[in-house]
Amino acid sequence: MDFGSHAGFIFASYGLCLLTILALIAWVRFDKAHQDRSLRELAEQGITRARPENESKNAR
Amino acid sequence: MRSPALNLIAENLTIDRGGRRVFQDLSFSLESGTALVVTGANGIGKSSLLRTLAGLVALAKGKILLEGGEDDKLPQEHAHYFGHQDAVKPALSVLENLKFWQSFAAPAQTAGFTGIQMTPAEAVETLGIGHTAQLPAAYLSAGQKRRLSLSRLLVTPRPIWLMDEPTSALDKASEQQLLDLMNGHLTAGGMIVTATHTELALTNTKILHLQAVAPDASAPEEMLI
Amino acid sequence: MTGWAMALFQRDLRLSIRVGGSALVGVLFFLAVVTVIPFGVGPDLNLLARIGPAILWIGALLATLLGLDRLFQADRDDGTLDLMLMAGRPMELVVLIKCLAHWIATGLPLVIAAPLLAIFLNIDPIAMGAVTLTLLVGTPALTLIGAIGASLTVSLRRGGLLLAVLVIPLAIPVLIFGVSAADAAIHDPVPFLTPFLILCALSLIAAVIGPVASAAALRFTAD
Amino acid sequence: MAFWDYANPTRFLKLVQVLLPWLVGLCVIFFAAGLYMSFFMAPEDYQQGNTVRIMYIHVPAAWLSMMCYSVMALSSIGTLVWKHPLADVSAKSAAPIGAAFTFMALVTGSLWGKPMWGTYWVWDARLTSVLVLLIMYLGLMTLWRTMEDPIKAGKAAAVLTLVGALNLPVIKFSVDWWNTLHQPASVVRMDGPTIHPDILWPLMVMATAFTLFFFVIHLMAMRNEIMRRRVRALRLRAAASSHPGTAAATAQPAE
C-alpha cells in the first residue's frame, strides 16, 4: 500500500512511538529484575520480611 | 502547694522516620511541676520523641493531649523547643534576636502555670550575657549563643519546655544556672521534657527509659510496602 | 499589621539588608543578563526595542529565581524554621510575610533598575513605563510562586538548580501576560489593560496558592 | 469496602498478579486491531492525505499525557489527605510513563506538523502546553530522585503535582493568547462527534489500546516501586542490626 510522499513522516512517527513503548517495557522489566535480585540477595543474608501475612491483615 | 492543672498525655505514640520505625506504643503522662527525663542509648529515638512532642514529626499512630491547655491551641503551641540548633541569627544583635522571638512566638497562658514574662533585657541579664546585648550575635561564643537561645524560653511564657541535651556547650557554672532556671520553671507549675546523658539535679523528675526490643515484633507499617 | 507579623517582616528585611547585599547581587545579575543579550542577537536597535520588554522580563525572572533558594534555607539551617512552625502563628501568613520582605529586598530593586536598563535596549519612554509597571505587578507573583519551589527544595543541599526547573513552568503564565501587557503598550494588538489586569489576577492567585502550598510543603519536610 | 482492602500493598500485589495477564492480552488485541484499522481501513484525509494516519497515535498519546497527570493529581490528593502509602507509589510510578507519552505526543505532533504546516515546531497553545507538561513531568521525576526519604519526597512531589494541576489550565489559557494552528477540538462536542466514523473508530480503538497499555505499565511500575521500598526497608533493618530502632518505654518515678 502506498503512503504517498509523506511516508517517511508516518513511519518515523510510528517507529518512534514503538521505540518509546519498548523503552517503557524495558524499563519496567529491568527494574523488576533489579528489585528481584536485591530482594534475593537480602534473603540470602537472612533478611526477610518477618511480619507474617495474617498480622498484616489486621494492621489496617 | 498548687493543683496540677496541666497534664500532658501521650498515648501510644508511634513514629516512622525514613521508612524506619523509631519507637512504638509509647505512652506517658506528665503533670505540672514535673520533669520527664528521657534516657536511652544513642539513636534510640530521644530526639525524635522531643521533636514529636514539638509537633515537628508526624505521628504514625497515637495522640498527644494537653489537659488544661488553651482550647484553640495545639499542645506544641504551649511548648518551647530547645534543641541542638540555636536559631540565632548572627547578623542581628542579641536583643534584636530576642525581641523577634518575643513578638513572634505566641505566649500560652494556662491555669496553674505562673511563669512570668521577662523583657529581653532582663532575660539576657539573667543568663549573664547582658554585656553583649547590643552586639551582633556573630561575636558570641558557642556557649553564649546557647545561652541566648535559652533566654528565648524566658521572654515568652509557655508551660512546656522540650529540651534536647540542654547542657551541651555549657560550662559548669552555666549548667548550674540552667538547672536553677529549670527548677524555677517547675516551681512555677511548668513541665519539662528533657533528653540527656548527664544527671540533672531537678526537683521533681520522672524517668522515661527508651530501650530496644526484638526487631520482629515491631516491623513498621512501611515494611509492608 | 499585628505585632508578630511586623516583627517577622522587619527581621527578614533587616537580615536581607545586612547579609551579603542580596539586592545588589540580584540587580547586577539582571544587568549582566541584559548586557549579554545584544551580543547574542546583534546590536540592531530596532530589534532590541521590539524584544526589549521580553528581555527585561526574562532577566527579572532569572534574577528572581537566583535569590529564591535562600528564602527558607537559611532559616532551616539554624533551626529557626522548626521554631516558626511551633510558634502558634498561621504558617501561610508567615510564608506570605517572608515573601513580601524578600520581594522588597530583591524584587523591588529589579523593578527600580528596569527603567535604567530599558535605556540600553532602546525602549521608548511609554514602553519603559509599561514594562516597569508590569514588573512591579508581576514580580511579586514570581516570588510567591518561587516560594513553593523554595520550600520543596529546602532540605536539599544544592537545590537552587532544581528549584529553577520546578518553578519555571509555573511562572510561564506570568511571563506571558507580563510581556504581552508591555507589548500591548507599544504596538497595541490588544488594549494594555486586558493583559495587565490578567497579570494582576495572576499575582493575586499566586498570593493565595503560593503560601498555602509552600506552608504545606514546609510542614511536611519539617522532620 | 472492597477498594480499601486492596489498599494493603500485599493484597494489591496479588491483585496485580491476577489482573496483569488479562490486561496484557486485551492490550495486545486492541493494539493489533487499532494498527490494522488505522493503516488499512481508515481512509486518507482529502486535505491531509496519508499523514492523517499519524493522528491515530498522536491523539491517544496526547490524551494519555493528560490522563497520566490526572492519575498523579488524584494520587497526590490520596497522599496528602488520606496519607495512603499506595497513593504515593502510584503517583511516583506514573511520572515516567506520563513523560514518555508526552514525549510521544510531542514527537508525533511535530512529525505531523512538518508536512502540514511546513515546520516541525510552532509555538501554539497545545504544543507549548504539552512541552510545559513534559518539563513538569521531568521536574517531578528529578524531585523524587533527589530526595532521600521516599515518604518525604512523595509529599513534596504531591504538593508540586497539585500546584501543577492548577497551573495547567492557566498555561493553556495563557498560551491561547497566541493564535493556534491546530484545528479546534472536534471529538467532544455537544452535538456529537463531527469527524467521520471511518476515522473515529480507529482512533477510539487506538485510544483504548494506549489506555490499556498505560494501566499495564503503571501496575508493573507500581509493583516495582513497592518492591523497591521493601528492599529499602529491609536494608535499613539490616543496617540497624541488633538495634532495630524500636523501643519500649517504661515510665517510673525516680526516687
Side-chain angles (χ1 to χ4, degrees):
Chain A
M1 129 162 233
D2 180 30
F3 291 104
S5 52
H6 301 314
F9 291 106
I10 300 173
F11 289 125
S13 331
Y14 277 83
L16 269 166
C17 274
L18 185 68
L19 277 184
T20 319
I21 286 176
L22 288 180
L24 273 179
I25 295 173
W27 167 61
V28 288
R29 307 296 305 206
F30 281 126
D31 200 12
K32 174 118 175 24
H34 184 69
Q35 303 310 329
D36 276 339
R37 197 173 53 238
S38 302
L39 276 179
R40 228 184 6 258
E41 276 167 11
L42 282 165
E44 277 162 16
Q45 293 167 36
I47 304 155
T48 48
R49 297 168 59 227
R51 186 182 271 254
E53 204 50 46
N54 54 359
E55 203 178 325
S56 72
K57 270 176 197 153
N58 45 35
R60 238 168 224 283
Chain B
M1 211 160 80
R2 78 200 108 66
S3 61
L6 277 177
N7 202 358
L8 178 68
I9 302 167
E11 280 174 12
N12 300 321
L13 302 187
T14 300
I15 297 170
D16 298 334
R17 289 183 80 176
R20 198 173 71 94
R21 176 139 297 179
V22 184
F23 50 77
Q24 65 177 9
D25 293 330
L26 187 110
S27 301
F28 63 85
S29 81
L30 191 65
E31 291 173 347
S32 285
T34 330
L36 183 71
V37 179
V38 186
T39 58
N42 277 332
I44 202 75
K46 298 191 296 288
S47 292
S48 291
L49 175 60
L50 289 190
R51 289 182 68 80
T52 308
L53 293 174
L56 298 170
V57 177
L59 283 169
K61 241 173 33 198
K63 57 183 170 191
I64 300 166
L65 298 169
L66 182 66
E67 279 177 5
E70 286 182 47
D71 288 339
D72 54 343
K73 281 189 181 167
L74 300 167
Q76 67 258 30
E77 288 166 7
H78 293 82
H80 275 301
Y81 176 65
F82 181 66
H84 297 287
Q85 291 168 311
D86 291 331
V88 166
K89 289 287 173 197
L92 300 180
S93 80
V94 167
L95 273 189
E96 279 171 341
N97 264 300
L98 211 48
K99 276 179 184 157
F100 165 68
W101 283 117
Q102 181 166 44
S103 330
F104 188 71
Q109 297 294 356
T110 52
F113 173 59
T114 57
I116 41 145
Q117 173 168 355
M118 287 192 191
T119 66
E122 284 167 6
V124 287
E125 210 57 62
T126 310
L127 282 154
I129 48 171
H131 58 286
T132 63
Q134 302 301 332
L135 290 177
Y139 295 99
L140 266 54
S141 69
Q144 284 172 322
K145 275 189 188 146
R146 199 89 185 123
R147 276 184 271 172
L148 169 56
S149 185
L150 188 63
S151 60
R152 193 165 48 75
L153 314 196
L154 303 177
V155 294
T156 310
R158 285 184 169 196
I160 308 172
W161 287 5
L162 307 169
M163 310 179 95
D164 199 354
E165 300 289 350
T167 51
S168 69
L170 290 181
D171 53 29
K172 268 279 170 269
S174 331
E175 202 178 308
Q176 189 50 47
Q177 203 176 23
L178 172 72
L179 284 175
D180 292 344
L181 280 175
M182 287 168 84
N183 280 325
H185 180 67
L186 293 176
T187 319
M191 50 181 87
I192 295 173
V193 182
T194 177
T196 180
H197 284 297
T198 48
E199 278 293 297
L200 292 177
L202 293 171
T203 45
N204 190 8
T205 57
K206 275 165 92 177
I207 306 260
L208 179 70
H209 187 66
L210 299 180
Q211 65 189 29
V213 295
D216 293 342
S218 59
E221 201 81 337
E222 240 255 298
M223 213 51 135
L224 287 170
I225 200 164
Chain C
M1 229 189 264
T2 46
W4 67 268
M6 202 63 210
L8 175 65
F9 180 72
Q10 281 174 347
R11 183 198 83 126
D12 270 35
L13 214 51
R14 257 191 210 132
L15 281 175
S16 42
I17 291 166
R18 288 188 198 164
V19 181
S22 50
L24 187 64
V25 179
V27 172
L28 282 178
F29 181 77
F30 194 20
L31 174 67
V33 170
V34 172
T35 312
V36 296
I37 300 270
F39 292 109
V41 301
D44 178 357
L45 283 180
N46 288 329
L47 176 67
L48 286 179
R50 198 158 59 78
I51 62 173
I55 295 174
L56 288 177
W57 258 95
I58 291 174
L61 172 67
L62 295 180
T64 308
L65 288 177
L66 188 77
L68 268 171
D69 57 336
R70 295 304 287 168
L71 182 55
F72 299 114
Q73 210 161 38
D75 278 342
R76 186 194 152 91
D77 288 349
D78 64 9
T80 306
L81 198 60
D82 291 342
L83 301 179
M84 284 183 168
L85 283 167
M86 52 186 298
R89 310 295 186 190
M91 203 56 197
E92 287 78 7
L93 272 183
V94 172
V95 171
L96 188 65
I97 292 163
K98 282 185 78 72
C99 286
L100 187 65
H102 185 83
W103 178 76
I104 288 177
T106 61
L108 199 56
L110 299 180
V111 177
I112 294 167
L116 302 175
L117 298 180
I119 296 172
F120 291 126
L121 298 169
N122 192 31
I123 298 177
D124 64 61
I126 298 173
M128 199 187 281
V131 176
T132 313
L133 194 59
T134 54
L135 281 175
L136 182 67
V137 172
T139 43
L142 296 181
T143 304
L144 289 159
I145 294 170
I148 303 173
S151 50
L152 289 173
T153 55
V154 73
S155 60
L156 304 176
R157 267 300 123 221
R158 294 171 54 80
L161 216 50
L162 179 60
L163 184 150
V165 173
L166 299 182
V167 166
I168 284 177
L170 305 177
I172 284 177
V174 178
L175 193 64
I176 287 176
F177 285 104
V179 176
S180 10
D183 273 343
I186 308 173
H187 29 249
D188 50 19
V190 282
F192 170 74
L193 216 52
T194 320
F196 182 73
L197 286 181
I198 297 176
L199 182 66
C200 297
L202 284 178
S203 285
L204 291 177
I205 296 172
V208 177
I209 294 177
V212 169
S214 166
L218 286 177
R219 278 193 209 104
F220 292 141
T221 48
D223 64 290
Chain D
M1 202 171 120
F3 172 75
W4 289 107
D5 283 351
Y6 293 110
N8 175 316
T10 309
R11 284 189 201 186
F12 173 80
L13 286 185
K14 276 185 193 147
L15 179 75
V16 170
Q17 210 65 38
V18 176
L19 228 52
L20 257 187
W22 293 96
L23 278 177
V24 171
L26 265 180
C27 181
V28 169
I29 293 170
F30 267 92
F31 258 117
L35 283 174
Y36 177 79
M37 284 167 96
S38 52
F39 269 101
F40 301 108
M41 278 169 65
E44 290 179 22
D45 190 81
Y46 70 100
Q47 273 181 325
Q48 307 192 346
N50 265 310
T51 47
V52 76
R53 300 193 197 283
I54 296 178
M55 181 178 75
Y56 302 121
I57 46 175
H58 171 70
V59 173
W63 141 249
L64 270 170
S65 69
M66 299 306 284
M67 193 191 89
C68 202
Y69 202 90
S70 316
V71 168
M72 283 169 66
L74 287 177
S75 305
S76 300
I77 296 176
T79 304
L80 294 184
V81 179
W82 295 290
K83 300 187 172 53
H84 203 282
L86 272 181
D88 216 19
V89 171
S90 155
K92 183 178 179 186
S93 34
I97 312 173
F101 280 120
T102 315
F103 172 74
M104 246 187 248
L106 277 177
V107 170
T108 53
S110 79
L111 282 172
W112 195 7
K114 179 67 179 168
M116 287 301 99
W117 313 317
T119 168
Y120 284 109
W121 184 259
V122 284
W123 286 95
D124 87 320
R126 296 193 194 179
L127 284 177
T128 313
S129 39
V130 171
L131 179 64
V132 172
L133 187 63
L134 181 64
I135 297 175
M136 279 165 53
Y137 276 126
L138 297 178
L140 279 166
M141 286 162 66
T142 322
L143 187 62
W144 257 305
R145 287 188 74 90
T146 38
M147 291 180 102
E148 266 302 301
D149 179 350
I151 305 281
K152 239 191 242 184
K155 282 176 176 165
V159 171
L160 187 64
T161 310
L162 288 179
V163 174
L166 293 174
N167 186 51
L168 277 177
V170 181
I171 285 189
K172 180 70 171 51
F173 165 73
S174 337
V175 192
D176 262 330
W177 269 70
W178 299 319
N179 263 338
T180 162
L181 273 169
H182 260 102
Q183 297 167 4
S186 51
V187 175
V188 182
R189 277 180 39 166
M190 294 309 279
D191 53 353
T194 54
I195 48 177
H196 196 273
D198 284 352
I199 293 178
L200 187 63
W201 273 110
L203 193 58
M204 287 307 201
V205 174
M206 279 303 262
T208 316
F210 269 64
T211 313
L212 284 168
F213 178 71
F214 164 77
F215 281 117
V216 168
I217 297 291
H218 189 221
L219 287 178
M220 287 167 84
M222 278 177 79
R223 182 170 64 184
N224 290 346
E225 183 61 27
I226 290 172
M227 281 163 61
R228 184 177 0 264
R229 292 191 184 193
R230 254 178 207 170
V231 169
R232 186 175 182 277
L234 290 175
R235 284 194 178 141
L236 277 171
R237 180 194 279 191
S241 63
S242 61
H243 287 291
T246 37
T250 45
Q252 75 245 11
E255 56 266 84

